[in-house]
Structures are given as structure tokens and as C-alpha cells.
Amino acid sequence: MTYFNICKLRDAGFSKAAISRKLSLSRNTVTRYLNKTPDEFEEFVVSLHNRKKKLDPYREIIISWLKEHPDLTGALIYDWLQEKHSVRDVSENTVRNYVNELREAYHIPKVQQQRVYTAIPETPMGFQVQVDFGQAVLLTKNGERKRVYFIAFILSHSRYKYIDCLDRPFRTMDVVRCHENAFDFFGGMPEEIVYDQDALISVSENAGDLLFTAEFDKYRKFRDFQIYLCRKSDPESKGKVEQVVKFVKNNFLKSREFKDIEALNHQATKWLERTGNHKVHHNTKKRPSEVYTLERKHLRKVSSKFSFENTLKPIITRTVQKDNVIRFESNRYSVPIGTYDKRTKNIVYIEITQDDHLLVRLQEDGEVIARHVISSQKGQLIQDSSHIKRPSTKKDKLRKEIETTFKDRELISWFLDELHVKYPRHLLDQLKVLSKVIDNHPTFIDDALEKVKLLNLISANDFRDIAYSLHVEAKERIPKAHNKSDKYSHLKAAERSEDYYVNVLTGGKKS
């Protein structure tokens, strides 16, 4: 049919490019088909059915695998062919297409294991609340995109709902505050609360021994409620609140304009009253607000107002990286250099203040070692200039030793600063050359320093050459007669009389 459609459009006057666009085909395919006569194209189609395929030798093996394991994927069959039959000259996509053809030809549908569901009895009144998080992107009046985050609560029996929104990601303190708001909205609290394994609430399921974040654990113990933590990747175990999250996204937040977070939460309260808790539930066939009036009596009374300042102190830990930064909400924040120590665990305690400052401590109740304004952006390095100051290094010590050797401290400081600018990567090598010159030519270093200043020679090697030159010049000015370094200067020639030499010349006896 594709061939005849191409021919029909060509006869109607369409160009190859127009046919390609209209039939969603490449121009090469259109050209190849148009170059064939009807008879040639028929022969081509027949050849496709008779053409041998690379995987035909393994046809029966693949069919046997599919019949024994109907849920096999093309990727797994590709791996088995490589492992068991050393097939290397075909691609994974070729295997996938071949497997699909065999499934269709031999009626072997892909069987996927499905989870078996069963309806469970309604939970007792006042017993359970389910909690989950969601997010959505709204548009502002100016057309800008604004991501909002929300937490949803639902009383499992009556389906009575509560939501709270934020214009930034939730922190554990926010979660606790929203719990208090929900309990106030419900007029009480349940015996059990169902959660996902969210990092704000739990650390690990630990085979049933639940580990909670220190901050949330304090709140849980204070309010004394049971926790049901869902297994990982098992959202259906809290299906009621999952439906609420979808309801909020697709009804309340759908196409809503964002003004500010206070206005959004006010609108959420009105939406709950008007729709969220008033609309008849599709399962119970009752209005949640009407059932809630009965369930409210079964909720536990909240005895006292929760004190965030005294009872719940934020306890969050972070690991110090080797470059002396910690990570918090997609940003990096500096700590003083030297905080990282490979011999320790490098754990610090952070606190988020109400004015959006990040405090860092080495101990839970210790002194604050770093304080930063929390950035609303992502991927930023927030650095305190005082944290960059490095401790005394070998270069610092060597520089101080060199400075104390010269008479003109101001001049040597200038020279060392210039060396630092010119040789930032090799400053230590330059300082070592200077130190060696000081050891070898201590008498001439001050004159050499004045010379390099006069000639503007910013190099320890030039300094060394000048100091050596001054040493040689001074040595050459000393007379050789008075050169005390002559190793024969202590020797003295013997003195003899003239008669001695006369006797030697005339062959007389030596006396």
C-alpha cells in the first residue's frame, strides 16, 4: 500500500519532498520506490518473504525459549545468544525484531506477571491517616514557570483531606509543621500514619527495624503515634493518598495561576471545602465531609501545643568533602579550611534558622563554625572569604626565614611578592634557590637585592647569578701575594753562603 500511495501522490503532482512529508517517509525511501515499476516492486516484496535472515539458524532454539519462558525480553534473548551460542554478528535491535516476528507467527504473546490485588476492609474510624508528597509547575501572571510542592493528608475511613503547599522543597521542620496544621484541621490525630520511605522521615527500613531521621523521631515520640512505612517502590500500599495527589495535581493545581504561597494555601483551603471534601467519593458514594463529622469523634485529642523551638531542634548531618565544603539542597557551602580530616568521619551538624540561614557545627550543641545565607538557586558554591585562608605552609615558613636574613625588609618583601605573581606555580622552587644563595653568598645578598631591583630582574636565578658575580669580583680584587689560600705560602726557601755554590761548581766537597 505504501508503494501505491507514493505512486498515487506522484501522479497527482506532488514532489518527492512533499510525498516524504505527507507519508512520514524518508526521501531515499520515496526515491527507491519510485524507481521501481509495479512488476519490479512485486518481485521485491516476494523476495522479502524468501530472504534468509541471520537468525534463521537459531529459529528453533529461540522458539523453544519463548515457549518455555513466555516473559522473555528481546534483550535477554540477545544476551543468551551471545552467551550460549557465541552470536556476535547481529545487533540487539535485530534480535528484538526477529523475536517479535516469531511471537506473532507462532502466537506466543509476552506474558507479564501481574500483581494480584484484593479489596481490604475499611479501616476503623480515627485509626489511620495516609501522607504523601507531590509537586507541580504553575505559571505566574508574567508567564514565568514556578514549581510548587505540596503535602497531602487523608483520613483513611472518611477520605477527608488536607493539603499544605510550599514554594520550595520540604524540609523535616516543614513536614512537622504541616502535621501540626493537619491535626488542627482534622480536630485530632490518628493512631497510625502511613508514609513512603522519604528521606525527610526515614533513614532505612532495616528489615522491619525502622530508622527515622533524628528530627522526625523526636516529633514522633512527642506525639506518640504509630508509623506504617511502605516498602520501596510500593506506592499502591497507600493508594488512598496516591489518588489524592493525582486529584490535587489534575484538579486544584491544573492551569492555576501562581501569585504567592499564602494565596495558594488560602485557595487550597477553599478548594477542599468546595470540591476536595465535598465531592462524592467514587468508592464510598458519600461526601467525605459528611463521613468526617462522625469520624472526628474517634480521633485522639491533641493534648498540648507543640513547641518547635524547645521540643524540636533541627538535627541534620552532612559529610565534609575533602575540599572543605558540605552539600545542602543542590548547592555547596564552605567550611573553614582544615575542617576535613581523613582520620575522622568528617560529620558536621547543620541547622536551618527561621531567617533562612545555614549554621554548621562540629558538635550538635557546639560552636558555629560556618554561617551562610541559603541560596534559592542550584549548583552554586557559596563560600565565606574567611574560610579560604590557608594554614601556614612550607612556602610561608621559607618566606619568613628569607625575609629575616635581609637588612631591607621592605625591599625583600617587594621582591618576594613579585616572585609570587610571576611564578605562582613554582614559587617554592624560587624560594629554595634564594635560600641556597643565602647559604653560599651571605655577604653579597643585600647588594644583589639592590641590583635586581635596579635592573628589574624578577627571578631567583638572576638573583643567584648577580650574587655569584659580586662574590667573584670581590675575590679578584684581593692581591695574589696576600692570598692566604695559597697552599705553599707557609714554606720558606733555605739560605746558603756563596762559598757553598762555588765549591759545587768547581767540584769541591760540599760543606
Side-chain angles (χ1 to χ4, degrees):
M1 290 301 298
T2 302
Y3 174 76
F4 291 111
N5 287 333
I6 292 174
C7 293
K8 184 178 179 180
L9 291 173
R10 179 197 57 188
D11 296 340
F14 285 87
S15 66
K16 292 180 182 179
I19 296 172
S20 174
R21 288 193 299 271
K22 196 170 185 65
L23 298 180
S24 300
L25 298 171
S26 70
R27 287 192 63 178
N28 290 340
T29 301
V30 173
T31 301
R32 188 169 66 251
Y33 278 24
L34 289 177
N35 288 338
K36 296 181 183 295
T37 64
D39 293 336
E40 290 173 341
F41 187 77
E42 185 178 358
E43 291 179 4
F44 169 70
V45 173
V46 172
S47 70
L48 290 178
H49 296 289
N50 299 327
R51 182 186 299 172
K52 290 185 178 181
K53 299 183 178 180
K54 288 183 178 181
L55 290 173
D56 282 343
Y58 309 98
R59 183 184 186 91
E60 297 304 322
I61 296 171
I62 297 175
I63 292 173
S64 67
W65 288 346
L66 291 174
K67 288 182 177 179
E68 185 177 358
H69 309 285
D71 59 337
L72 281 180
T73 63
L76 186 54
I77 290 177
Y78 175 67
D79 183 67
W80 282 12
L81 287 170
Q82 289 183 313
E83 178 186 356
K84 300 178 181 181
H85 300 279
S86 302
V87 177
R88 296 285 186 272
D89 58 343
V90 294
S91 67
E92 183 176 342
N93 197 48
T94 299
V95 174
R96 187 181 295 110
N97 291 335
Y98 191 77
V99 168
N100 290 337
E101 290 176 6
L102 293 180
R103 284 188 182 279
E104 185 175 354
Y106 289 87
H107 305 288
I108 310 174
K110 187 175 181 180
V111 178
Q112 294 181 341
Q113 292 185 350
Q114 294 186 351
R115 184 173 179 176
V116 178
Y117 296 93
T118 181
I120 60 173
E122 287 292 343
T123 53
M125 286 189 177
F127 176 73
Q128 186 188 85
V129 164
Q130 294 186 7
V131 182
D132 200 8
F133 298 89
Q135 54 182 283
V137 176
L138 307 184
L139 293 178
T140 64
K141 188 176 181 180
N142 299 327
E144 297 177 352
R145 293 164 62 87
K146 177 65 178 178
R147 185 173 295 276
V148 296
Y149 305 81
F150 64 91
I151 184 172
F153 298 77
I154 182 172
L155 286 167
S156 293
H157 180 83
S158 63
R159 274 63 165 187
Y160 197 68
K161 310 165 193 67
Y162 173 74
I163 59 174
D164 216 325
C165 304
L166 275 181
D167 56 356
R168 56 171 173 75
F170 278 86
R171 303 168 187 149
T172 306
M173 277 289 292
D174 301 318
V175 174
V176 172
R177 198 178 302 277
C178 290
H179 275 66
E180 290 295 294
N181 293 342
F183 296 158
D184 183 61
F185 184 81
F186 291 148
M189 58 182 292
E191 295 287 339
E192 179 185 79
I193 303 182
V194 180
Y195 300 99
D196 249 342
Q197 292 196 32
D198 193 277
L200 297 173
I201 295 169
S202 66
V203 177
S204 171
E205 185 184 12
N206 199 26
D209 294 329
L210 305 181
L211 300 178
F212 302 102
T213 59
E215 191 175 347
F216 190 78
D217 195 42
K218 283 187 176 182
Y219 176 68
R220 178 186 65 87
K221 291 175 180 177
F222 178 83
R223 281 300 183 209
D224 190 27
F225 53 79
Q226 300 175 28
I227 287 182
Y228 180 93
L229 203 62
C230 298
R231 292 181 178 273
K232 288 184 179 180
S233 305
D234 187 23
E236 288 145 326
S237 56
K238 54 176 180 52
K240 296 183 178 71
V241 74
E242 290 286 340
Q243 293 301 320
V244 175
V245 170
K246 292 180 183 178
F247 193 19
V248 173
K249 285 183 179 180
N250 299 325
N251 191 295
F252 171 60
L253 294 176
K254 187 74 171 179
S255 302
R256 185 172 294 274
E257 183 181 281
F258 179 83
K259 180 181 179 182
D260 56 56
I261 200 62
E262 290 77 14
L264 186 65
N265 276 314
H266 178 72
Q267 293 166 2
T269 303
K270 294 296 184 182
W271 176 82
L272 287 171
E273 180 182 348
R274 178 182 66 253
T275 303
N277 290 324
H278 182 74
K279 190 175 181 180
V280 174
H281 193 271
H282 64 281
N283 278 347
T284 64
K285 308 303 179 184
K286 299 176 182 177
R287 300 186 192 278
S289 57
E290 295 175 355
V291 184
Y292 161 72
T293 57
L294 300 175
E295 186 176 17
R296 180 174 182 175
K297 301 174 184 178
H298 298 268
L299 294 171
R300 294 164 52 195
K301 297 298 180 183
V302 178
S303 57
S304 59
K305 192 68 177 177
F306 183 76
S307 173
F308 291 90
E309 292 73 19
N310 300 326
T311 309
L312 184 61
K313 183 179 179 181
I315 302 174
I316 312 173
T317 61
R318 285 294 185 274
T319 300
V320 181
Q321 308 294 321
K322 64 181 180 181
D323 52 351
N324 289 285
V325 297
I326 60 172
R327 296 184 180 275
F328 179 73
E329 291 187 351
S330 302
N331 289 311
R332 294 178 296 154
Y333 295 84
S334 68
V335 293
I337 284 185
T339 303
Y340 174 81
D341 186 349
K342 62 182 180 180
R343 298 167 298 179
T344 66
K345 293 182 178 180
N346 293 300
I347 298 296
V348 293
Y349 296 82
I350 66 174
E351 175 185 347
I352 298 91
T353 64
Q354 292 184 352
D355 58 346
D356 283 337
H357 276 75
L358 181 70
L359 307 183
V360 185
R361 295 181 172 91
L362 291 176
Q363 303 295 332
E364 185 177 337
D365 297 316
E367 182 182 353
V368 175
I369 64 170
R371 180 186 180 92
H372 298 281
V373 177
I374 297 175
S375 174
S376 59
Q377 299 179 357
K378 292 185 178 181
Q380 302 298 309
L381 172 61
I382 294 87
Q383 199 167 40
D384 189 329
S385 58
S386 64
H387 296 166
I388 308 174
K389 186 178 180 181
R390 294 183 174 274
S392 180
T393 62
K394 188 174 182 179
K395 284 188 290 189
D396 299 329
K397 293 177 182 178
L398 190 54
R399 173 173 176 144
K400 288 181 180 179
E401 291 175 3
I402 292 172
E403 285 179 331
T404 56
T405 311
F406 287 81
K407 294 177 182 178
D408 193 336
R409 296 290 183 85
E410 185 176 346
L411 188 56
I412 186 59
S413 294
W414 165 84
F415 185 59
L416 295 176
D417 289 341
E418 292 296 318
L419 288 179
H420 187 278
V421 173
K422 189 174 180 180
Y423 304 99
R425 293 179 55 211
H426 300 90
L427 180 61
L428 183 59
D429 297 324
Q430 292 281 311
L431 295 178
K432 286 179 179 179
V433 172
L434 287 178
S435 181
K436 194 170 183 180
V437 174
I438 292 170
D439 292 338
N440 293 338
H441 311 292
T443 310
F444 305 100
I445 58 174
D446 290 302
D447 292 336
L449 181 61
E450 292 179 0
K451 287 274 189 181
V452 296
K453 171 65 175 175
L454 181 64
L455 301 173
N456 196 29
L457 299 174
I458 310 302
S459 168
N461 294 321
D462 290 336
F463 181 90
R464 177 197 58 202
D465 294 343
I466 290 174
Y468 177 74
S469 176
L470 292 172
H471 173 79
V472 172
E473 289 177 4
K475 187 176 179 180
E476 289 177 349
R477 287 196 297 268
I478 302 174
K480 291 183 180 181
H482 300 289
N483 192 349
K484 301 296 182 180
S485 64
D486 189 349
K487 63 181 179 179
Y488 301 109
S489 61
H490 64 286
L491 300 178
K492 190 175 181 180
E495 296 180 1
R496 302 180 186 275
S497 64
E498 293 178 0
D499 295 338
Y500 174 83
Y501 295 104
V502 171
N503 289 332
V504 171
L505 293 173
T506 56
K509 293 182 179 179
K510 298 178 182 177
S511 57

